[in-house]
């Protein structure tokens, strides 16, 4: 019974497909929604975290650099305040001070110099030969005359090396003098170049004019204000800015900027987004892998589960089919029993006549007067009567045999009208006793159906017998059986004028074992067998009933065009 | 003098004819009817009928209905029910409704004859009692 090749019949395949689809849709949609929600939430949070970290780092360094610059300016101012112009103009003393500063700060201070009001360097301490150098045209000199203390941008100057100057001014008019210190670029640069995170994170400083103040630089940096990293007219209250844009190689990068040195310099930190968010991307990749793995598991489960279920269903269907076939067989037996009782009664009448006629002949013989012509004629008449009644019995048994013959349910071409004729041959007498007037309206030239004769007999026998029983209780009525051809289908209608079927039980009449008869009198199988047979033939059975007016059963059977006459 | 006067009711004409011949030969006076209505009509016409042999299964008015009608209209007439196998229940029903007895069809002629004479005897005895009662009533009325 079990088919092991795994291939199911087409409707079950369709069912399996539908189940797989349903399982997948139902399980994937929530998983997908949850994953999406978590992904976006996590994504946003992690991004925020990374940005906050970078902002904090830039803020810290910004403060550090600002503090460094302020401390250097304070050093220079302290020197000028402490010793005055006269002492500092002494080059030996100045060299002593430079040596002291270098002891304290390493190579941060490169040289020291005192410049007079005309821009001439009066005294100088340092590695370069810059005695009497003229700074009158230098930008910082003009600046220091206007402000008291100046920290310049990085420039090459007279010595041809990148450096910047911290200068402070003292005195009035012609007494004006300036103490100038050069800050080593390398030691300053370390403050910034130490900021390195990941593999692509770099930091640099750019001034208002867009010139880089550190060794790290970008070849394709923009022109203008802060090389395009900061809009000069931007809101100054917000000190740290974060933005994303492609770097010079077209890689999407994250930029964090902070203003320095009275907003003259801009600290820029840049890192490629892929690098900055590498942890995030790794988490994303992992969750994607899990999602795909889970999806594959779901797919396999949906496939296996639905296949197993459908196999179960198919098996249950097969068992049900077998069961209903057994029910039909049981119903057939019950039907034959009923039929036999009816036939026994019908055969009883002719048998009784035959016995009485035989008895009559015996009567005559016991008188011993068979020689008289009248008695001989009487015996002949009696024998003829016995013969007639015997014929009647034969007719009845022949009718019965036409029903009992086929327990075979092979399909063959079948004339519905003949089946109805057979049924009335058998049940005509019963109709007479039940006082039912029978009317048949059979359409001539109906196409032959391809059906089992036994099964058709059973259907018609059940319907007619039900109608007769219903009307017998009512004391008679009218039974109309008609056949017709409509839309290429054969329609058989059995209409009685019995008590009708209450609407409450109408939907249940085709259920197996449903009966209104007392226990032991009806099997409740008749109509369910009819239903089964007709549906197996691809037909339909409909019922229409009105309480007090009667019931009408309509059987609609398709006409097979397939030529099966060669079955003979 | 016949054993009894009998009305034979059956829709099977051949059966009625065969029975009639055999019963007549055994000194039974026979009237025949082929359905319930006809039987009632014959009973009404002929008050001499003592026993009715009644088939249970008949088209139109069936045996039970006819029996009920006979008991109502002619209470003194005795009825013997004839039944096929399938209708034993209706024979019992008939007994409950006042039939004298029942017989399975086809039946042995001698058994039938015995039942008929029995029924006729019962009927006659009852009639005699009624007559006697009447006579007593009439005589006792005298002062």
């Amino acid at each position: 019974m079990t088919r092991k090749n795994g291939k199911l019949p087409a409707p079950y395949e369709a069912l399996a497909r539908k189940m797989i689809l349903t399982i997948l849709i139902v399980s994937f949609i929530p998983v997908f929604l949850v994953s999406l929600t978590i992904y976006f939430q996590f994504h946003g949070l992690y991004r925020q975290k990374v940005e906050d970290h970078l902002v904090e780092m830039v803020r810290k360094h910004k403060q550090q650099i600002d503090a460094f610059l302020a401390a250097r300016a304070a050093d220079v101012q302290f020197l000028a305040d402490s010793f005055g112009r006269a002492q500092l103009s002494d080059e030996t003393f100045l060299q002593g001070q430079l040596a002291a500063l270098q002891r304290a700060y390493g190579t941060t201070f490169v040289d020291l110099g005192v410049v007079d009001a005309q821009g001439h360097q009066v005294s100088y301490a340092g590695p370069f030969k810059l005695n009497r150098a003229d700074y009158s045209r230098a930008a910082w000199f003009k600046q220091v005359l206007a402000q008291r203390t100046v920290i310049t941008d990085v420039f090459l100057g007279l010595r041809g090396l990148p450096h910047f100057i911290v200068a402070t001014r003292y005195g009035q008019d012609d007494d004006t003098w300036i103490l100038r210190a050069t800050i080593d670029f390398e030691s300053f640069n370390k403050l910034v170049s130490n900021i390195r995170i990941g593999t692509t994170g770099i930091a640099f400083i750019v001034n208002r004019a867009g010139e880089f103040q550190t060794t790290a630089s970008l070849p394709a940096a923009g022109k203008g204000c802060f090389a395009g990293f900061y809009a000069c007219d931007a809101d100054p209250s917000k000190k740290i800015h974060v933005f994303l844009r492609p770097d010079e190689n077209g890689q999407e990068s994250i930029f964090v900027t902070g203003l320095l040195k009275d907003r003259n310099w801009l600290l820029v930190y840049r890192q490629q987004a892929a690098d900055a968010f590498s942890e995030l991307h790794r988490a994303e990749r992992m969750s994607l892998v899990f999602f795909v793995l889970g999806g594959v598991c779901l797919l396999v489960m949906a496939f296996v589960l639905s296949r197993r279920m459908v196999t179960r269903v198919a098996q249950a269907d097969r068992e049900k089919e077998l069961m209903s076939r057994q029910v039909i067989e049981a119903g057939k037996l019950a039907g034959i029993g009923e039929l036999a009782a009816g036939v026994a009664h019908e055969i009883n009448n002719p048998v009784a006549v035959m016995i009485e006629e035989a008895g009559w002949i015996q009567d005559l013989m016991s008188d011993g007067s068979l020689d008289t012509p009248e008695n001989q004629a009487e015996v002949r008449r009696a024998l003829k009567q016995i013969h007639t009644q015997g014929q009647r019995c034969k007719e009845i048994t022949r009718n019965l045999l036409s029903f009992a013959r086929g327990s075979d349910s092979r399909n063959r071409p079948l004339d519905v009208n003949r089946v109805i004729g057979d049924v009335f041959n058998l049940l005509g007498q019963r109709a007479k006793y039940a006082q039912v007037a029978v009317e048949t309206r059979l359409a001539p030239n109906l196409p032959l159906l391809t059906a089992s004769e036994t099964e058709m007999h059973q259907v018609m026998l059940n319907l007619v017998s039900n109608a007769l029983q219903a009307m017998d209780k009512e004391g008679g009525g009218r039974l109309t059986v008609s056949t017709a051809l409509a839309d290429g289908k054969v329609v058989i209608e059995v209409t009685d004028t019995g008590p009708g079927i209450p609407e409450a039980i109408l939907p249940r009449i085709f259920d197996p074992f449903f009966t209104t008869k007392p226990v032991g009198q009806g099997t409740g199988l008749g109509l369910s067998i009819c239903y089964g047979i007709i549906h197996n033939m691809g037909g339909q059975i409909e019922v229409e009933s009105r309480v007090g007016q009667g019931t009408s059963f309509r059987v609609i059977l398709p006409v097979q065009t397939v030529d099966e006459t060669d079955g003979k | 003098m016949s054993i009894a006067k009998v009305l034979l009711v059956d829709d099977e004409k051949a059966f009625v004819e065969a029975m009639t011949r055999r019963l007549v030969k055994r000194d039974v006076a026979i009237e025949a009817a082929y359905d319930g209505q006809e039987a009632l009509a014959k009973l009404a016409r002929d008050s001499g009928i003592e026993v009715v042999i009644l088939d249970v299964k008949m088209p139109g008015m069936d045996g039970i209905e006819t029996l009920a009608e006979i008991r109502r209209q002619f209470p003194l007439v005795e009825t013997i029910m004839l039944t096929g196998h399938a209708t034993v229940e209706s024979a019992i029903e008939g007994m409950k409704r006042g039939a004298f007895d029942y017989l399975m069809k086809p039946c042995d002629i001698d058994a039938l004859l015995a039942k008929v004479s029995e029924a006729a005897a019962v009927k006659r005895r009852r009639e005699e009692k009624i007559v006697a009662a009447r006579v007593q009533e009439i005589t006792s009325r005298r002062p």
Side-chain angles (χ1 to χ4, degrees):
Chain A
M1 216 63 210
T2 45
R3 270 174 260 180
K4 277 284 173 199
N5 54 5
K7 193 76 188 153
L8 292 162
Y12 293 111
E13 283 291 338
L15 180 65
R17 271 200 300 279
K18 213 180 279 177
M19 279 177 69
I20 291 173
L21 208 66
T22 311
I23 292 174
L24 288 185
I25 288 172
V26 165
S27 46
F28 261 116
I29 283 178
V31 167
F32 191 69
L33 286 179
V34 167
S35 305
L36 223 60
T37 314
I38 291 177
Y39 172 77
F40 278 114
Q41 289 293 327
F42 181 70
H43 198 84
L45 279 173
Y46 191 82
R47 246 190 143 79
Q48 192 61 48
K49 195 192 132 239
V50 166
E51 280 178 10
D52 286 351
H53 172 70
L54 292 177
V55 164
E56 198 44 50
M57 188 195 69
V58 166
R59 189 195 310 283
K60 221 170 72 197
H61 281 85
K62 181 179 100 79
Q63 281 166 358
Q64 218 175 316
I65 293 164
D66 269 337
F68 174 85
L69 293 174
R72 296 301 80 78
D75 287 341
V76 172
Q77 277 171 358
F78 172 78
L79 213 59
D81 279 338
S82 309
F83 304 107
R85 183 177 181 173
Q87 266 190 301
L88 291 171
S89 295
D90 176 2
E91 280 202 4
T92 323
F93 180 78
L94 202 60
Q95 271 167 0
Q97 290 306 313
L98 178 63
L101 282 173
Q102 282 177 340
R103 270 197 304 280
Y105 300 112
T107 56
T108 304
F109 286 94
V110 178
D111 59 10
L112 286 173
V114 178
V115 179
D116 66 13
Q118 282 72 46
H120 297 293
Q121 190 149 262
V122 188
S123 63
Y124 172 77
F128 305 102
K129 302 236 178 305
L130 291 171
N131 283 357
R132 307 301 303 166
D134 183 2
Y135 291 113
S136 58
R137 270 193 286 276
W140 66 266
F141 180 70
K142 287 169 188 159
Q143 233 178 317
V144 85
L145 289 180
Q147 296 161 244
R148 204 170 105 81
T149 303
V150 163
I151 301 169
T152 66
D153 290 343
V154 176
F155 66 109
L156 294 173
L158 297 172
R159 69 199 69 177
L161 285 170
H163 65 287
F164 68 93
I165 286 167
V166 178
T168 186
R169 173 176 58 84
Y170 283 84
Q172 295 291 317
D173 302 323
D174 281 356
D175 284 339
T176 300
W177 63 282
I178 295 152
L179 180 62
R180 179 193 68 78
T182 303
I183 308 293
D184 176 49
F185 176 70
E186 285 304 321
S187 66
F188 171 71
N189 198 37
K190 264 185 216 148
L191 286 177
V192 176
S193 60
N194 282 343
I195 311 177
R196 280 205 166 267
I197 298 173
T199 52
T200 62
I202 60 163
F204 49 88
I205 290 171
V206 68
N207 68 4
R208 220 164 245 279
E211 294 158 351
F212 288 96
Q213 305 297 303
T214 49
T215 44
S217 66
L218 298 177
K223 295 273 178 296
C225 195
F226 293 124
F229 292 120
Y230 184 79
C232 290
D233 51 355
D235 177 14
S237 64
K238 199 180 168 200
K239 291 185 179 108
I240 312 284
H241 284 262
V242 181
F243 56 92
L244 276 170
R245 77 171 181 207
D247 67 1
E248 69 279 4
N249 299 323
Q251 298 280 338
E252 186 75 3
S253 300
I254 183 166
F255 287 85
V256 185
T257 64
L259 285 168
L260 293 171
K261 199 172 154 261
D262 282 338
R263 315 219 305 273
N264 285 315
W265 288 0
L266 184 74
L267 174 62
V268 179
Y269 174 80
R270 191 212 64 179
Q271 189 175 12
Q272 282 182 3
D275 186 23
F277 301 125
S278 62
E279 289 282 327
L280 179 64
H281 292 318
R282 212 178 64 206
E284 278 171 15
R285 271 198 302 280
M286 254 162 78
S287 51
L288 189 71
V289 165
F290 285 135
F291 186 82
V292 168
L293 278 179
V296 168
C297 285
L298 266 178
L299 203 75
V300 168
M301 187 213 62
F303 191 78
V304 169
L305 200 69
S306 55
R307 194 136 279 260
R308 197 173 295 167
M309 294 270 279
V310 167
T311 312
R312 247 340 126 68
V313 168
Q315 198 184 336
D317 280 356
R318 273 200 299 276
E319 278 165 14
K320 205 180 119 201
E321 203 178 306
L322 190 71
M323 182 84 121
S324 74
R325 216 176 298 150
Q326 283 169 343
V327 165
I328 287 180
E329 280 308 314
K332 269 186 196 167
L333 285 177
I336 286 168
E338 236 169 90
L339 210 60
V343 168
H345 180 261
E346 226 175 286
I347 230 164
N348 212 37
N349 265 337
V351 168
V353 174
M354 283 157 80
I355 286 173
E356 295 313 330
E357 290 293 358
W360 175 237
I361 293 169
Q362 271 178 337
D363 287 350
L364 291 177
M365 281 171 78
S366 59
D367 284 357
S369 55
L370 274 181
D371 299 338
T372 60
E374 312 91 74
N375 280 1
Q376 275 185 357
E378 192 57 30
V379 167
R380 233 172 270 127
R381 189 208 53 79
L383 285 173
K384 198 171 163 230
Q385 181 64 265
I386 288 170
H387 187 257
T388 308
Q389 298 300 330
Q391 285 289 344
R392 235 175 106 192
C393 290
K394 195 177 124 194
E395 190 67 23
I396 291 164
T397 47
R398 204 178 56 82
N399 280 338
L400 185 63
L401 277 176
S402 78
F403 282 84
R405 182 198 310 137
S407 59
D408 83 309
S409 50
R410 269 177 307 166
N411 287 348
R412 55 179 60 138
L414 190 65
D415 179 8
V416 172
N417 290 346
R418 213 198 69 225
V419 170
I420 291 169
D422 289 345
V423 168
F424 279 110
N425 279 341
L426 205 64
L427 295 182
Q429 201 68 11
R430 224 172 108 193
K432 207 174 95 190
Y433 283 121
Q435 298 179 64
V436 171
V438 175
E439 188 186 344
T440 49
R441 286 198 294 254
L442 306 180
N445 305 324
L446 277 181
L448 297 183
L449 294 177
T450 308
S452 150
E453 191 176 17
T454 323
E455 289 184 350
M456 267 323 280
H457 271 146
Q458 217 174 349
V459 168
M460 292 315 297
L461 209 57
N462 271 319
L463 293 181
V464 170
S465 153
N466 280 353
L468 289 180
Q469 270 177 17
M471 288 187 286
D472 198 4
K473 279 187 284 185
E474 295 274 292
R478 167 176 288 271
L479 174 69
T480 313
V481 178
S482 67
T483 55
L485 188 67
D487 294 336
K489 287 176 176 180
V490 171
V491 180
I492 308 165
E493 212 172 312
V494 179
T495 308
D496 65 43
T497 58
I501 303 166
E503 208 168 322
I505 64 165
L506 205 52
R508 298 179 55 201
I509 58 168
F510 293 114
D511 293 353
F513 304 111
F514 176 80
T515 178
T516 55
K517 291 176 195 162
V519 175
Q521 289 198 19
T523 56
L525 288 174
L527 281 177
S528 83
I529 288 166
C530 288
Y531 187 89
I533 290 172
I534 288 162
H535 271 251
N536 277 346
M537 289 168 68
Q540 281 168 275
I541 181 163
E542 295 167 359
V543 61
E544 210 175 287
S545 185
R546 248 185 236 165
V547 173
Q549 291 189 22
T551 306
S552 177
F553 281 91
R554 192 178 304 113
V555 177
I556 302 159
L557 295 170
V559 179
Q560 253 98 1
T561 46
V562 188
D563 184 55
E564 280 192 57
T565 42
D566 57 345
K568 199 155 184 182
Chain B
M1 174 65 191
S2 60
I3 300 171
K5 184 150 192 189
V6 170
L7 177 63
L8 183 59
V9 190
D10 196 317
D11 63 311
E12 186 70 47
K13 209 170 170 182
F15 181 74
V16 172
E17 281 167 3
M19 272 321 251
T20 305
R21 266 191 290 276
R22 296 195 73 191
L23 288 172
V24 165
K25 195 173 169 55
R26 287 165 175 78
D27 287 334
V28 179
I30 291 285
E31 285 287 332
Y34 300 109
D35 61 46
Q37 294 294 346
E38 198 186 344
L40 290 171
K42 286 238 160 114
L43 278 168
R45 224 182 302 138
D46 188 346
S47 59
I49 295 170
E50 294 163 300
V51 177
V52 181
I53 299 173
L54 188 58
D55 189 20
V56 172
K57 197 129 186 170
M58 288 187 296
M61 203 176 178
D62 73 13
I64 298 294
E65 287 167 336
T66 313
L67 171 65
E69 217 29 56
I70 292 171
R71 297 298 303 170
R72 200 176 64 77
Q73 292 182 25
F74 316 100
L76 288 177
V77 174
E78 292 298 337
T79 310
I80 296 167
M81 307 293 286
L82 273 187
T83 164
H85 301 285
T87 51
V88 177
E89 283 91 352
S90 34
I92 294 166
E93 181 70 27
M95 296 287 286
K96 283 185 192 160
R97 293 194 182 199
F100 176 79
D101 206 343
Y102 78 91
L103 278 169
M104 288 281 206
K105 191 170 150 188
C107 58
D108 181 46
I109 191 79
D110 294 324
L112 180 63
L113 210 58
K115 285 268 189 290
V116 166
S117 6
E118 223 177 287
V122 167
K123 201 230 172 196
R124 280 174 199 157
R125 238 190 344 267
R126 204 173 283 156
E127 269 177 349
E128 276 163 18
K129 273 189 188 163
I130 291 168
V131 170
R134 285 236 176 96
V135 168
Q136 205 181 355
E137 191 190 40
I138 291 162
T139 48
S140 66
R141 237 187 262 160
R142 280 201 183 149

